[in-house]
Structure formats: structure tokens, C-alpha cells
Amino acid sequence: MEWNPQTLQFLSECFLRTLSPSPEPRRHAESSLAEAAARPNYALAVLRLVAEPSIDDQIRQAAAVNFKNHLRLRWASDDAPVPDPEKDQIKTLIVPLMLSATPKIQSQLSEALALIGHHDFPKSWPSLLPELVANLQKASQSSDYASINGILGTANSIFKKFRFQYKTKDLLLDLKYCLDNFAAPLLEVFLKTASLIDAGGVPASTLRQLFESQRLCCRIFYSLNFQELPEFFEDHMKEWMGEFRKYLTTSYPALESSGADGVAVVDELRAAVCENINLYMEKNEEEFQGFLNDFALAVWTLLGNVSQLSSRDRLAITAIKFLTTVSTSVHHTLFASDGVIPQICQCIVIPNVRLRDDDEELFEMNYIEFIRRDMEGSDLDTRRRIACELLKGIATHYGDAVKSIVSAQIQSLLSSFAANPGVNWKDKDCAIYLVVSLATKKAGASVVSTELVDVQSFFESVIVPELQSSDVNGYPMLKAGALKFFTMFRTQISKHVALKFFPDLVRFLTAESNVVHSYAASCIEKLLLVKDEGGGARYTSADINPIFAMLMNNLFSAFKLPESEENQYVMKCIMRVLAVVDISVDVARVCIEGLGSLLAEVCKNPKNPIFNHYLFESVAILVRRACERDSSLVSIFEASLFPRLEIILSNDVTEFFPYTFQLLAQLVELNRPPIPPIYMQIFEILLSPESWKRSSNVPALVRLLQAFLQKAPNEISQGDRLTKVLGIFDTLIQSSSTSEQGFYVLNTVIESLEYNAIKPYISHVWAALFRELQKRRTVKLIKSLLIFMSLFLIKHGSAIVVDTMNSVQPDIFIVILNQFWIPNLKLITGAIELKLTAVASTRLICESPVLLDPAASVSWGKMVDSIVTLLSRPEEDRVEEEPDMPDIAENAGYTTTFVLLYNAGKKEEDPLKDIRDPREFFVASLSRLSALSPGRYPKVISENVDPANQAALLQLCNTYNLPLV
């Protein structure tokens, strides 16, 4: 893409239209940009547009976002990556452009720079750090804090990798390079900024920039110190710690008196300081101990002055985390003095555990976020949870003291509630929360336990009154707490007690509060997963059947309550119930209609991917379990689902394509041949190249194609259908991300079709495979090739394998055997795959004239050696970690992705059902072969098989009492 006025105009118009509120121009613009993105220099052209001052800011901002997302997809992609010359130009332009940009564009370019850095820094971008340091020193001299903060923000982004990656030699070399270049300039800027803050008389707007600069310095400090304590930071610890302590103990009225925004700026710096001292406490305790008492006192005092406003949560949480770390360390004696633990309980724990107005507002206004924090354990960053974590920390050394103080506190709270329930209901909530949050789970166990109360009696005296309350809408936060307790301690509450309250749980599904009916659904769902000691389900269909009609009615009715139209907890409960209950014809009809109408509704505007997933899983489990009992029900499901699935395909609801193809595959497999004509219409859509363009569709389309190959082999053999199927295979194996899927197609063709049908195509198949083998020799490709060759050999015999390969290129078979089959056989994993390749390899050495020829005795012996390795050694001893694992993080960001439907999964077929034990098959075949030429094969084995494998082979012969002669 050339940079000229026409390109500038084309891109400007496209980005302007992407901001249109109307979907049509927006889609058209996105399509034009997607097409342009495939051309070289596209990213460079977009970056130049971002730099063009004459263009409207909104357009430039949209272009900056597109530039960042384009780099995320293409910078290090296997398929169509950004060309190297274009990369070099982008690296030259991006730093100065980022520093001169407006704040919104700067943040996008900073993220883009960090994305490049993730792949290229420092090895492929050695000029970046010197360029950043030079710009930082220049900006520091002129006190240009807009540029300083831009550079520090970028450095913070690229150094973050030191927090998250495993410690390796390469990572430590990268870290040393960054420390050598950046540690000293960082301290210089930090101390200079500190002196400007101390000098005073700075206007509030400038002071904000100075505090932001110090916060960024603190975050970089955290990254550079995360792996280990660097020498530079150890030598300058006094300077760093002196400034850190000052920010925790000094007040800054110019900012803190200017309203919530000013307080937030100071709090963010203090929170970053608390994270740094917490890091030193965890990792550098010995070097840090000289500063500990001062910091403990500073944090304790600071916590006493932090109000309950939610805007100050992050500071309170990081400060309490620091005290928690101290409580579990060798310095825990700081908490041993008389009165300290009761004071912590009174002054820190109880005030932070009690419900605040903000919590009530969140409960009512944003139930999803409330549940995420409260029920799903992501509330480690809430005051309520971290205050309880502090108690748990102190309890590691002072368990009895904590237990007696907290138990007394719980009783006091319950007594306060009993005295005036209407006014003091928050005390009861606080008591329940303490019991639930201080419960512990032993390592490796699923059972939660508590020493604070007797679970059974607490349940009956405190929880049951809430469950039996006739008003499902009264005191909803207490109801939610009671349901959470029931869910948390579900394994300890005996079955006969719990069953009494199933009708109450069903009743709570009608509660107006979204949290309450979500918790009721979650409680039922989790109860149905409880296993008894023998591993069997505690609650079965017999327990659900009596309440099933009311349960399903209330679950489906819950979707009609405001804000719960797509409630994922209710949907997950439906899925779990359908996995347990007995599914009759009537149940199947009612449930598929209910699920079908939900499906029709979400197709209009898919919003909640988790809800959608459980919806499709529910459909899949209903279809699977109903048809297992009565295969004639498949027509009922087809009648209900086809119109909905057709809407998905015709309206281009791309998010649901992978699910749709998996459900169709499930329905195809449930039909008896010949399959109805409507399916063959779907098959034609499946063969269209357009369907395969979206990578997220590929695994589901392959799954559907496999179903057709298995159920309609005759139909597929007709016309040019098989040509098109093998064309799909050829396309898929050319990309490393889809090559495995290509082999699934090929293997199913071999398994399902007669040899005469595939005979005209087989030389083209081998040619395609050899082409890929020349291009890339990855472990994944070679293993897939071995499995295919083994399957082909099992189905059609070794002679056809050898002859068809050699017809493509003379004597290629023996080359492939020696270079790929023999050395890589040991890498095969999976029980069916192991059996398949071991049996095929055994048949090759016992049946193929090529290998039985005395001239091939070395290859014969090496193959025996590989088979013995495969069959005698455990997987972890013979399989090295695969080097070609994809980086999941590279695909971050919202895209339609393939999600496997567990309940529509393909049953793995064993092509060798008649062979039970591949070891016995191997030894028996070898024994029969050796009996035909006594003395010949033991000699070949002694010359070519590894001594350890010779011993393993002898042991196998003894095990099955089959000698080699």
C-alpha cells in the first residue's frame, strides 16, 4: 500500500465510517479495512495517518486503535505477518510519534509499542531502550512531564514481562540488559521528581503529573525487582525506601483537599508503594528487615485514617495485604503484643467486613459484578475479603487467639441481630460472611471446613430461618448470604437435611433480587455435583423428579425477571438439571421449546458468551440424553432446532457458527443412514470455501464434515464432492494452526470410504503431505503423518501404502520410514493413537517385503527398537515437551473463538477394537515371524536394538510366554 493522497483519503473515509452509528456503513468500512490489511505497508500507512496533524482527532484515534489491533494479529503471525522492512520503519517512527501525540492516541501507541516489545525487545529491537533513555533524560532536563510520563508508561508496559514470565536464563539476560540501561536513569528521575514535590509551591495540575510520574516509577521498580533483588537496587535501597516511607506518612493538602480526584492521585502512589514493600517483604525479607518496623507503623497509622469510601479501596487493600504478608513471615511477633489482635479485629477487620452503602448499591444495580466478587472468589481485591485474609494470616501463628476473638465477635453480632432484626440485619450478614470467608480448604481436598462454628447447628439456627422465610423478597442480602453458606458447606450438610430445603431453593428462583435467584440457581447446580465418598452422585434423578416440573418452570420464568434475561447462573443450573433428571418424551418437548425460544432471542443480539455457551451445552445434553433413551426423538429436535440454526447461518450470527456446526454434527450422528435430504443441503454449504475462511469455524466444520463422512459415505463418493472434501484437507494442512484439523478430515476419509472411492486421489494426497513435510518439520505435523500412515496401513495393508507412496516418487517410502517414522514413533501419545501406530509398525516389519528383505535389516532392527520404546517406556520418559506450542496470549482481545461443546463431543472411535493389547500383538507377531527363520532375527535385534530395549523386549516375551527363536 503506497503512501499518497489517495491512500490518506481512502483510510480517513474508512475510519470515519467505522464510527458511524448505522451498522451498514460500519460493516462496509470494516470489510474494506480488513481487505486492505492483507496488503504490505498497511500498518505503516495507518501509522502515518495517525501522525497527520491535518486529520480530525477522532479519525486518528480510530486509526491508532486499528493500528494496535493489526499489530496484535499480524506482528508475529505465522500466516501473513508484517514484512520485515515495514517492521523496521514502524520501529523508527513509533517512539517520537508516541511522545508528540495527544494523551488518548499516546496510550494506544504506547500499547502498540509494548506489543512490538513483547516479541522483539530487546534482541530484535536493540535501539529501543537507548532511545527511550535519551528521550527521558532530555525531557527530565526540561521538566517536560507529559513526555516523561509517556516514556515511563511505555517502559512500564515493556518491563511487565519480568513479573509474569518464568525465570529462565534468557529472561535474566534481558532483565540485566534493562537494569544496566534503565535502573540509574529511573532513580535519577524519581529523586528529581521527589525534590520538586518536596519544594512545594507547585500548582495542583503540575503536582498531579509529578505524582503520576512517581507512581509509574514505582510500577517499574516492581517489575525490575520481581525476579530477584538487583545489585543496583540493593545498593540504593535507602534512597528508595526513604521516599517510599515519606509518601505513606506525609499528607499533601494541595491535592488531598481538592476533592476525590486529588485524593485518588495520592492514593494510587501510596498503593504502588505498598505493593513494592509487600514485594520486598515476600522476596527480600532479610535485606528489608531494617526498614520493617517503620513501614509496619506507617501502614498501620495510614489504615486508621483511610475512610470507608470505595474510591479509597485500592489503598486499603494493598496496605492490608502488606500486614498480611508480615503476619505469615518470621516477623509475625509484631502481632504478639497484648491487645494487638483484638485491636486488628475491631479497627481493621470488622469495619472492612461490614456492608457499606456501596455494597448495597452494587447488589441492587450490578448483580453480575457483585456475584463475581462475592461468590466467585475474584473478591481478593475487595476490603471484605482482604480483611479476612489478614485474620487467616495472623491465625497461622496465633490460631487459638484468632478463633476465640472471632467466635466471640460472631456471637456478639448474632445477639445484636436477635435484639432488633429489622435494624441490625447487617450484623447477621457480617457474622455469616466471617464464617464463610474464614472457612479453609485443605490442599487437594474439595471439602471446606471451619473451626469457628459447628456447621450443622449454625446452619439450623442461623441459615434455616432465612431459607424458610415466606417472603422471598425480604432482606435480600441476608437471603443471599444464607444461600452462599448453603452452597459453600454443601458437602457437610447431610442429604436428608438438605433435601428438606430443595423446595425452598426452587421458591427462591422467583425472588425479584437478581443476586438471590442467581444464588438459588447456583446452589442447586452445585448440590447436583456433590459426590459421596464412593464417588457416586449424592443427589440423583429420584431426588429431582418430584420437584422437576416446578424447578424447570421457575428456572425458565427467571429469564423474564428484569436484568436476568441472560442470567448465566440460571442457564448453568438448567444444564446441570438436564444432566441428572430422567428425560421422557414430554420433558424433551417442553425443554427443547424453552431452549429453542431462548436461542431465537439471543440470536438477535448475542451479548453474554458464558450464558450462550451454557445454552448450547443445555441443548446438546438434552439431545444426547434424550436420544440415548429413544432415538426416534431426533425428529422432534430437528423440527425445533433447524429453523433456529437456519436463522444463525442466514443472518450471519458468526459468534454462534462454531456451536451450530457442532450441534448439526451431533444431529447427523444420531440419524441412521440414509440421512434425510435436508442434511445434504447443509453439506453443500459445508463444501463452500467461504465457510472455511473464519479460523474459529474450522474445528466445528471439521467435526461436522467427519459426521457426514461417517454417516453418508456413499453420497460423498458421488459427483465432485470427494474432490472438494480433499481440497479442504489440502487447504487446512498448509497452515500450522489448522494442519491437525486437516489430518482429522483425511483420517475420517480413510476410515469411512471404500478404497476404490479414494484410489484416484491417493497420489495427490501423498504429494500434498510430502510438500508440507519439506516446508516445515514440526513435531505436530510428523505425529499427524505417522497416525495417518498407520491408519491407512491398518485399513488397506502395507503393500498399498508402500506402492502408492513410491508411485509419487521412487523409493520415497524407505526414506520416509528412516527419516520420520522410526525416529519419531516414540513421540506418539494417547491410548488409541499408541495402539494404532504400534500395531501398524508391527505389521510393517512382519508383513512388508520391503522390510523383510535382508538388505533392510538395519531399518528392521531400528523399527523394533522404536516399537519397544513406545510400548515399554512411560510417556513422560519418551516425549519431550513440544517446542511448537502456540502463545495463547497473542490471541487476546475479543474475537469469535471456537469453544468445544462438551456434550456434543465426538466419540473417539478405536479402529482396532479386536486387538486388546498392542504389546501382546507385537510380541506374538514377532514370535511367529522368528519361527519362520530361526536364528535370523535375534541376531538383527542384538546388532540394532538399544541394550535397555533388548532387556525390555525379553521381559515382554517372558510376560506373554512367547519366545523369539
Side-chain angles (χ1 to χ4, degrees), residues 507-545:
R507 203 163 45 86
F508 277 116
L509 292 169
T510 64
E512 289 169 9
S513 161
N514 299 96
V515 175
V516 172
H517 62 247
S518 299
Y519 276 17
S522 185
C523 187
I524 295 166
E525 188 263 326
K526 296 282 192 294
L527 281 164
L528 294 180
L529 286 174
V530 173
K531 300 264 192 293
D532 279 326
E533 280 183 20
R538 181 179 293 181
Y539 302 97
T540 62
S541 56
D543 303 313
I544 294 293
N545 290 343

mmCIF file of all heavy atoms in Angstrom, residues 507-545:
data_model
loop_
_atom_site.group_PDB
_atom_site.id
_atom_site.type_symbol
_atom_site.label_atom_id
_atom_site.label_comp_id
_atom_site.label_asym_id
_atom_site.label_seq_id
_atom_site.Cartn_x
_atom_site.Cartn_y
_atom_site.Cartn_z
ATOM 1 N N ARG A 507 -38.223 -22.157 45.345
ATOM 2 C CA ARG A 507 -39.042 -20.971 45.610
ATOM 3 C C ARG A 507 -38.217 -19.694 45.416
ATOM 4 O O ARG A 507 -38.696 -18.696 44.874
ATOM 5 C CB ARG A 507 -39.550 -21.076 47.062
ATOM 6 C CG ARG A 507 -40.797 -20.292 47.398
ATOM 7 C CD ARG A 507 -41.408 -20.807 48.712
ATOM 8 N NE ARG A 507 -40.432 -21.028 49.766
ATOM 9 C CZ ARG A 507 -40.014 -20.069 50.616
ATOM 10 N NH1 ARG A 507 -40.514 -18.857 50.528
ATOM 11 N NH2 ARG A 507 -39.133 -20.339 51.548
ATOM 12 N N PHE A 508 -36.951 -19.729 45.858
ATOM 13 C CA PHE A 508 -36.103 -18.535 45.766
ATOM 14 C C PHE A 508 -35.747 -18.177 44.323
ATOM 15 O O PHE A 508 -35.268 -17.076 44.064
ATOM 16 C CB PHE A 508 -34.825 -18.710 46.600
ATOM 17 C CG PHE A 508 -35.019 -18.408 48.055
ATOM 18 C CD1 PHE A 508 -34.856 -19.397 49.012
ATOM 19 C CD2 PHE A 508 -35.382 -17.141 48.473
ATOM 20 C CE1 PHE A 508 -35.058 -19.121 50.361
ATOM 21 C CE2 PHE A 508 -35.579 -16.853 49.818
ATOM 22 C CZ PHE A 508 -35.421 -17.850 50.761
ATOM 23 N N LEU A 509 -35.986 -19.105 43.394
ATOM 24 C CA LEU A 509 -35.769 -18.778 41.972
ATOM 25 C C LEU A 509 -36.737 -17.700 41.494
ATOM 26 O O LEU A 509 -36.519 -17.079 40.455
ATOM 27 C CB LEU A 509 -35.931 -20.037 41.104
ATOM 28 C CG LEU A 509 -34.862 -21.125 41.271
ATOM 29 C CD1 LEU A 509 -35.290 -22.400 40.553
ATOM 30 C CD2 LEU A 509 -33.507 -20.652 40.755
ATOM 31 N N THR A 510 -37.810 -17.465 42.262
ATOM 32 C CA THR A 510 -38.791 -16.436 41.873
ATOM 33 C C THR A 510 -38.507 -15.084 42.530
ATOM 34 O O THR A 510 -39.245 -14.122 42.316
ATOM 35 C CB THR A 510 -40.224 -16.876 42.265
ATOM 36 O OG1 THR A 510 -40.294 -16.968 43.700
ATOM 37 C CG2 THR A 510 -40.583 -18.227 41.666
ATOM 38 N N ALA A 511 -37.450 -15.014 43.357
ATOM 39 C CA ALA A 511 -37.137 -13.751 44.053
ATOM 40 C C ALA A 511 -36.842 -12.643 43.044
ATOM 41 O O ALA A 511 -36.226 -12.884 41.998
ATOM 42 C CB ALA A 511 -35.941 -13.950 44.975
ATOM 43 N N GLU A 512 -37.264 -11.426 43.382
ATOM 44 C CA GLU A 512 -37.023 -10.286 42.475
ATOM 45 C C GLU A 512 -35.541 -9.936 42.400
ATOM 46 O O GLU A 512 -35.052 -9.474 41.374
ATOM 47 C CB GLU A 512 -37.821 -9.063 42.960
ATOM 48 C CG GLU A 512 -39.323 -9.204 42.749
ATOM 49 C CD GLU A 512 -40.105 -8.114 43.483
ATOM 50 O OE1 GLU A 512 -39.458 -7.170 44.001
ATOM 51 O OE2 GLU A 512 -41.340 -8.221 43.545
ATOM 52 N N SER A 513 -34.830 -10.137 43.517
ATOM 53 C CA SER A 513 -33.400 -9.789 43.531
ATOM 54 C C SER A 513 -32.631 -10.716 42.601
ATOM 55 O O SER A 513 -32.699 -11.938 42.715
ATOM 56 C CB SER A 513 -32.834 -9.920 44.950
ATOM 57 O OG SER A 513 -31.423 -10.012 44.893
ATOM 58 N N ASN A 514 -31.875 -10.117 41.675
ATOM 59 C CA ASN A 514 -31.084 -10.926 40.734
ATOM 60 C C ASN A 514 -30.059 -11.787 41.463
ATOM 61 O O ASN A 514 -29.811 -12.930 41.084
ATOM 62 C CB ASN A 514 -30.346 -10.015 39.746
ATOM 63 C CG ASN A 514 -31.298 -9.180 38.923
ATOM 64 O OD1 ASN A 514 -31.561 -8.033 39.265
ATOM 65 N ND2 ASN A 514 -31.833 -9.743 37.859
ATOM 66 N N VAL A 515 -29.464 -11.217 42.517
ATOM 67 C CA VAL A 515 -28.452 -11.983 43.257
ATOM 68 C C VAL A 515 -29.113 -13.187 43.924
ATOM 69 O O VAL A 515 -28.590 -14.303 43.873
ATOM 70 C CB VAL A 515 -27.728 -11.108 44.310
ATOM 71 C CG1 VAL A 515 -26.761 -11.950 45.142
ATOM 72 C CG2 VAL A 515 -26.985 -9.961 43.641
ATOM 73 N N VAL A 516 -30.283 -12.989 44.525
ATOM 74 C CA VAL A 516 -30.937 -14.078 45.252
ATOM 75 C C VAL A 516 -31.320 -15.209 44.310
ATOM 76 O O VAL A 516 -30.998 -16.378 44.558
ATOM 77 C CB VAL A 516 -32.159 -13.567 46.058
ATOM 78 C CG1 VAL A 516 -32.939 -14.741 46.658
ATOM 79 C CG2 VAL A 516 -31.699 -12.626 47.169
ATOM 80 N N HIS A 517 -31.988 -14.906 43.197
ATOM 81 C CA HIS A 517 -32.360 -16.043 42.333
ATOM 82 C C HIS A 517 -31.142 -16.646 41.632
ATOM 83 O O HIS A 517 -31.128 -17.840 41.319
ATOM 84 C CB HIS A 517 -33.526 -15.728 41.371
ATOM 85 C CG HIS A 517 -33.315 -14.650 40.376
ATOM 86 N ND1 HIS A 517 -34.009 -13.448 40.405
ATOM 87 C CD2 HIS A 517 -32.529 -14.568 39.286
ATOM 88 C CE1 HIS A 517 -33.645 -12.705 39.372
ATOM 89 N NE2 HIS A 517 -32.753 -13.365 38.695
ATOM 90 N N SER A 518 -30.081 -15.854 41.432
ATOM 91 C CA SER A 518 -28.843 -16.418 40.867
ATOM 92 C C SER A 518 -28.183 -17.360 41.880
ATOM 93 O O SER A 518 -27.703 -18.437 41.514
ATOM 94 C CB SER A 518 -27.852 -15.310 40.499
ATOM 95 O OG SER A 518 -28.397 -14.457 39.521
ATOM 96 N N TYR A 519 -28.154 -16.948 43.158
ATOM 97 C CA TYR A 519 -27.547 -17.793 44.189
ATOM 98 C C TYR A 519 -28.361 -19.064 44.409
ATOM 99 O O TYR A 519 -27.801 -20.137 44.680
ATOM 100 C CB TYR A 519 -27.417 -17.019 45.501
ATOM 101 C CG TYR A 519 -26.175 -16.150 45.584
ATOM 102 C CD1 TYR A 519 -25.457 -15.817 44.446
ATOM 103 C CD2 TYR A 519 -25.714 -15.649 46.804
ATOM 104 C CE1 TYR A 519 -24.330 -15.018 44.505
ATOM 105 C CE2 TYR A 519 -24.575 -14.859 46.880
ATOM 106 C CZ TYR A 519 -23.893 -14.538 45.732
ATOM 107 O OH TYR A 519 -22.766 -13.763 45.798
ATOM 108 N N ALA A 520 -29.699 -18.971 44.298
ATOM 109 C CA ALA A 520 -30.534 -20.165 44.443
ATOM 110 C C ALA A 520 -30.219 -21.148 43.308
ATOM 111 O O ALA A 520 -30.047 -22.352 43.546
ATOM 112 C CB ALA A 520 -32.015 -19.774 44.415
ATOM 113 N N ALA A 521 -30.101 -20.629 42.081
ATOM 114 C CA ALA A 521 -29.768 -21.482 40.927
ATOM 115 C C ALA A 521 -28.383 -22.097 41.104
ATOM 116 O O ALA A 521 -28.170 -23.291 40.865
ATOM 117 C CB ALA A 521 -29.820 -20.655 39.638
ATOM 118 N N SER A 522 -27.435 -21.281 41.547
ATOM 119 C CA SER A 522 -26.057 -21.761 41.740
ATOM 120 C C SER A 522 -26.006 -22.831 42.828
ATOM 121 O O SER A 522 -25.282 -23.820 42.709
ATOM 122 C CB SER A 522 -25.155 -20.577 42.106
ATOM 123 O OG SER A 522 -23.830 -20.997 42.179
ATOM 124 N N CYS A 523 -26.794 -22.654 43.879
ATOM 125 C CA CYS A 523 -26.820 -23.614 44.985
ATOM 126 C C CYS A 523 -27.344 -24.978 44.489
ATOM 127 O O CYS A 523 -26.743 -26.021 44.767
ATOM 128 C CB CYS A 523 -27.700 -23.086 46.120
ATOM 129 S SG CYS A 523 -27.636 -24.105 47.608
ATOM 130 N N ILE A 524 -28.436 -24.954 43.727
ATOM 131 C CA ILE A 524 -28.987 -26.211 43.173
ATOM 132 C C ILE A 524 -27.947 -26.865 42.259
ATOM 133 O O ILE A 524 -27.684 -28.069 42.345
ATOM 134 C CB ILE A 524 -30.291 -25.930 42.384
ATOM 135 C CG1 ILE A 524 -31.390 -25.411 43.320
ATOM 136 C CG2 ILE A 524 -30.765 -27.178 41.644
ATOM 137 C CD1 ILE A 524 -32.600 -24.798 42.604
ATOM 138 N N GLU A 525 -27.337 -26.044 41.399
ATOM 139 C CA GLU A 525 -26.356 -26.569 40.432
ATOM 140 C C GLU A 525 -25.172 -27.227 41.146
ATOM 141 O O GLU A 525 -24.741 -28.325 40.798
ATOM 142 C CB GLU A 525 -25.891 -25.405 39.541
ATOM 143 C CG GLU A 525 -25.031 -25.808 38.370
ATOM 144 C CD GLU A 525 -23.543 -25.666 38.619
ATOM 145 O OE1 GLU A 525 -23.135 -24.732 39.334
ATOM 146 O OE2 GLU A 525 -22.789 -26.507 38.103
ATOM 147 N N LYS A 526 -24.669 -26.563 42.205
ATOM 148 C CA LYS A 526 -23.518 -27.109 42.936
ATOM 149 C C LYS A 526 -23.915 -28.348 43.760
ATOM 150 O O LYS A 526 -23.129 -29.284 43.898
ATOM 151 C CB LYS A 526 -22.937 -26.039 43.867
ATOM 152 C CG LYS A 526 -22.351 -24.823 43.163
ATOM 153 C CD LYS A 526 -20.981 -25.118 42.602
ATOM 154 C CE LYS A 526 -20.250 -23.867 42.150
ATOM 155 N NZ LYS A 526 -20.848 -23.196 41.015
ATOM 156 N N LEU A 527 -25.128 -28.370 44.308
ATOM 157 C CA LEU A 527 -25.589 -29.557 45.053
ATOM 158 C C LEU A 527 -25.623 -30.780 44.145
ATOM 159 O O LEU A 527 -25.273 -31.894 44.568
ATOM 160 C CB LEU A 527 -26.980 -29.308 45.654
ATOM 161 C CG LEU A 527 -27.018 -28.465 46.945
ATOM 162 C CD1 LEU A 527 -28.428 -27.977 47.214
ATOM 163 C CD2 LEU A 527 -26.500 -29.258 48.141
ATOM 164 N N LEU A 528 -26.019 -30.583 42.890
ATOM 165 C CA LEU A 528 -26.112 -31.716 41.964
ATOM 166 C C LEU A 528 -24.740 -32.263 41.556
ATOM 167 O O LEU A 528 -24.645 -33.321 40.943
ATOM 168 C CB LEU A 528 -26.912 -31.321 40.708
ATOM 169 C CG LEU A 528 -28.396 -31.002 40.941
ATOM 170 C CD1 LEU A 528 -29.083 -30.639 39.635
ATOM 171 C CD2 LEU A 528 -29.122 -32.166 41.606
ATOM 172 N N LEU A 529 -23.690 -31.534 41.911
ATOM 173 C CA LEU A 529 -22.330 -32.007 41.618
ATOM 174 C C LEU A 529 -21.692 -32.733 42.800
ATOM 175 O O LEU A 529 -20.602 -33.293 42.675
ATOM 176 C CB LEU A 529 -21.433 -30.813 41.240
ATOM 177 C CG LEU A 529 -21.644 -30.209 39.852
ATOM 178 C CD1 LEU A 529 -20.784 -28.970 39.694
ATOM 179 C CD2 LEU A 529 -21.298 -31.221 38.756
ATOM 180 N N VAL A 530 -22.352 -32.704 43.975
ATOM 181 C CA VAL A 530 -21.751 -33.294 45.185
ATOM 182 C C VAL A 530 -21.610 -34.803 45.007
ATOM 183 O O VAL A 530 -22.531 -35.488 44.569
ATOM 184 C CB VAL A 530 -22.601 -32.980 46.442
ATOM 185 C CG1 VAL A 530 -22.060 -33.728 47.660
ATOM 186 C CG2 VAL A 530 -22.601 -31.481 46.719
ATOM 187 N N LYS A 531 -20.414 -35.295 45.346
ATOM 188 C CA LYS A 531 -20.155 -36.737 45.281
ATOM 189 C C LYS A 531 -20.005 -37.281 46.705
ATOM 190 O O LYS A 531 -19.451 -36.610 47.575
ATOM 191 C CB LYS A 531 -18.862 -37.010 44.509
ATOM 192 C CG LYS A 531 -18.859 -36.504 43.078
ATOM 193 C CD LYS A 531 -19.230 -37.603 42.117
ATOM 194 C CE LYS A 531 -18.955 -37.245 40.675
ATOM 195 N NZ LYS A 531 -19.778 -36.182 40.130
ATOM 196 N N ASP A 532 -20.475 -38.500 46.921
ATOM 197 C CA ASP A 532 -20.247 -39.161 48.207
ATOM 198 C C ASP A 532 -18.881 -39.826 48.188
ATOM 199 O O ASP A 532 -18.200 -39.846 47.159
ATOM 200 C CB ASP A 532 -21.367 -40.174 48.478
ATOM 201 C CG ASP A 532 -22.618 -39.479 49.024
ATOM 202 O OD1 ASP A 532 -22.453 -38.483 49.765
ATOM 203 O OD2 ASP A 532 -23.731 -39.910 48.700
ATOM 204 N N GLU A 533 -18.503 -40.424 49.328
ATOM 205 C CA GLU A 533 -17.143 -40.967 49.439
ATOM 206 C C GLU A 533 -16.815 -41.986 48.363
ATOM 207 O O GLU A 533 -15.698 -42.076 47.896
ATOM 208 C CB GLU A 533 -16.931 -41.574 50.834
ATOM 209 C CG GLU A 533 -16.620 -40.493 51.863
ATOM 210 C CD GLU A 533 -16.341 -41.068 53.242
ATOM 211 O OE1 GLU A 533 -16.014 -42.260 53.326
ATOM 212 O OE2 GLU A 533 -16.465 -40.325 54.220
ATOM 213 N N GLY A 534 -17.801 -42.783 47.960
ATOM 214 C CA GLY A 534 -17.547 -43.795 46.921
ATOM 215 C C GLY A 534 -17.396 -43.211 45.531
ATOM 216 O O GLY A 534 -17.064 -43.916 44.580
ATOM 217 N N GLY A 535 -17.640 -41.901 45.387
ATOM 218 C CA GLY A 535 -17.521 -41.254 44.077
ATOM 219 C C GLY A 535 -18.836 -41.126 43.340
ATOM 220 O O GLY A 535 -18.917 -40.488 42.300
ATOM 221 N N GLY A 536 -19.915 -41.735 43.885
ATOM 222 C CA GLY A 536 -21.224 -41.631 43.241
ATOM 223 C C GLY A 536 -21.899 -40.313 43.576
ATOM 224 O O GLY A 536 -21.604 -39.694 44.599
ATOM 225 N N ALA A 537 -22.812 -39.873 42.699
ATOM 226 C CA ALA A 537 -23.527 -38.611 42.927
ATOM 227 C C ALA A 537 -24.437 -38.745 44.146
ATOM 228 O O ALA A 537 -25.152 -39.740 44.288
ATOM 229 C CB ALA A 537 -24.340 -38.247 41.698
ATOM 230 N N ARG A 538 -24.401 -37.734 45.039
ATOM 231 C CA ARG A 538 -25.239 -37.764 46.241
ATOM 232 C C ARG A 538 -26.713 -37.555 45.879
ATOM 233 O O ARG A 538 -27.601 -38.156 46.469
ATOM 234 C CB ARG A 538 -24.769 -36.693 47.235
ATOM 235 C CG ARG A 538 -25.580 -36.697 48.521
ATOM 236 C CD ARG A 538 -25.084 -35.642 49.500
ATOM 237 N NE ARG A 538 -23.752 -35.925 50.008
ATOM 238 C CZ ARG A 538 -23.106 -35.163 50.891
ATOM 239 N NH1 ARG A 538 -23.700 -34.053 51.367
ATOM 240 N NH2 ARG A 538 -21.897 -35.465 51.309
ATOM 241 N N TYR A 539 -26.967 -36.664 44.933
ATOM 242 C CA TYR A 539 -28.347 -36.356 44.537
ATOM 243 C C TYR A 539 -28.585 -36.899 43.129
ATOM 244 O O TYR A 539 -27.805 -36.607 42.213
ATOM 245 C CB TYR A 539 -28.597 -34.850 44.587
ATOM 246 C CG TYR A 539 -28.329 -34.283 45.965
ATOM 247 C CD1 TYR A 539 -27.102 -33.680 46.261
ATOM 248 C CD2 TYR A 539 -29.268 -34.383 46.978
ATOM 249 C CE1 TYR A 539 -26.835 -33.184 47.532
ATOM 250 C CE2 TYR A 539 -29.007 -33.884 48.255
ATOM 251 C CZ TYR A 539 -27.788 -33.294 48.522
ATOM 252 O OH TYR A 539 -27.529 -32.814 49.784
ATOM 253 N N THR A 540 -29.628 -37.691 42.957
ATOM 254 C CA THR A 540 -29.885 -38.363 41.675
ATOM 255 C C THR A 540 -31.229 -37.907 41.113
ATOM 256 O O THR A 540 -31.926 -37.075 41.713
ATOM 257 C CB THR A 540 -29.915 -39.886 41.877
ATOM 258 O OG1 THR A 540 -31.003 -40.185 42.769
ATOM 259 C CG2 THR A 540 -28.612 -40.399 42.473
ATOM 260 N N SER A 541 -31.597 -38.506 39.990
ATOM 261 C CA SER A 541 -32.870 -38.149 39.353
ATOM 262 C C SER A 541 -34.046 -38.394 40.303
ATOM 263 O O SER A 541 -35.030 -37.656 40.276
ATOM 264 C CB SER A 541 -33.054 -38.948 38.063
ATOM 265 O OG SER A 541 -32.973 -40.331 38.331
ATOM 266 N N ALA A 542 -33.931 -39.414 41.178
ATOM 267 C CA ALA A 542 -35.025 -39.703 42.123
ATOM 268 C C ALA A 542 -35.272 -38.527 43.064
ATOM 269 O O ALA A 542 -36.404 -38.292 43.507
ATOM 270 C CB ALA A 542 -34.692 -40.960 42.930
ATOM 271 N N ASP A 543 -34.215 -37.763 43.373
ATOM 272 C CA ASP A 543 -34.360 -36.601 44.273
ATOM 273 C C ASP A 543 -34.920 -35.390 43.520
ATOM 274 O O ASP A 543 -35.559 -34.528 44.121
ATOM 275 C CB ASP A 543 -33.004 -36.227 44.883
ATOM 276 C CG ASP A 543 -32.379 -37.387 45.640
ATOM 277 O OD1 ASP A 543 -33.097 -38.025 46.427
ATOM 278 O OD2 ASP A 543 -31.177 -37.674 45.413
ATOM 279 N N ILE A 544 -34.670 -35.332 42.222
ATOM 280 C CA ILE A 544 -35.079 -34.167 41.417
ATOM 281 C C ILE A 544 -36.482 -34.353 40.839
ATOM 282 O O ILE A 544 -37.256 -33.396 40.730
ATOM 283 C CB ILE A 544 -34.060 -33.929 40.264
ATOM 284 C CG1 ILE A 544 -32.701 -33.530 40.845
ATOM 285 C CG2 ILE A 544 -34.535 -32.857 39.301
ATOM 286 C CD1 ILE A 544 -32.672 -32.200 41.535
ATOM 287 N N ASN A 545 -36.810 -35.587 40.451
ATOM 288 C CA ASN A 545 -38.098 -35.830 39.757
ATOM 289 C C ASN A 545 -39.315 -35.235 40.462
ATOM 290 O O ASN A 545 -40.158 -34.612 39.806
ATOM 291 C CB ASN A 545 -38.297 -37.331 39.494
ATOM 292 C CG ASN A 545 -37.319 -37.843 38.430
ATOM 293 O OD1 ASN A 545 -36.744 -37.052 37.685
ATOM 294 N ND2 ASN A 545 -37.114 -39.142 38.376
#
